[in-house]
Amino acid sequence: MCLGGGPSRAEKEAAADQRVEADIAKREEVEKRASQKREDISEAIEGRTARAGMRSGKGRRSLFKAPSTGFLGRFD
């Protein structure tokens, strides 16, 4: 027969408190990284939009397929 084996009630409560604190710290770190990623993505999208605004027209267009203004349109 074992008498008094295992952790005491105070030790179990302390361990539970430590787990809760560790979970909270981990969740806060995950949320911090997620918000940083969102900011980085927003900056990248805004930068892409700003660069695209400097060009004329929408997106990339082929010079060969552009109607009458492209490279091949000069030789018609």
Side-chain angles (χ1 to χ4, degrees), residues 1-75:
M1 207 187 307
C2 290
L3 296 175
S8 68
R9 184 177 195 160
E11 290 173 337
K12 288 180 182 178
E13 288 177 3
D17 289 340
Q18 287 176 349
R19 280 195 302 269
V20 168
E21 289 176 14
D23 288 342
I24 291 171
K26 185 176 180 180
R27 186 179 315 123
E28 287 175 352
E29 183 63 31
V30 168
E31 289 174 0
K32 184 178 177 182
R33 275 188 272 153
S35 67
Q36 183 63 41
K37 282 184 179 181
R38 280 192 296 271
E39 290 174 10
D40 291 345
I41 290 170
S42 295
E43 288 175 12
I45 290 173
E46 288 172 3
R48 181 180 295 168
T49 304
R51 284 193 310 263
M54 290 184 215
R55 291 184 283 170
S56 61
K58 294 182 181 178
R60 297 176 65 176
R61 291 195 273 168
S62 171
L63 292 175
F64 292 105
K65 294 183 180 180
S68 72
T69 59
F71 178 76
L72 297 177
R74 297 189 312 179
F75 300 105

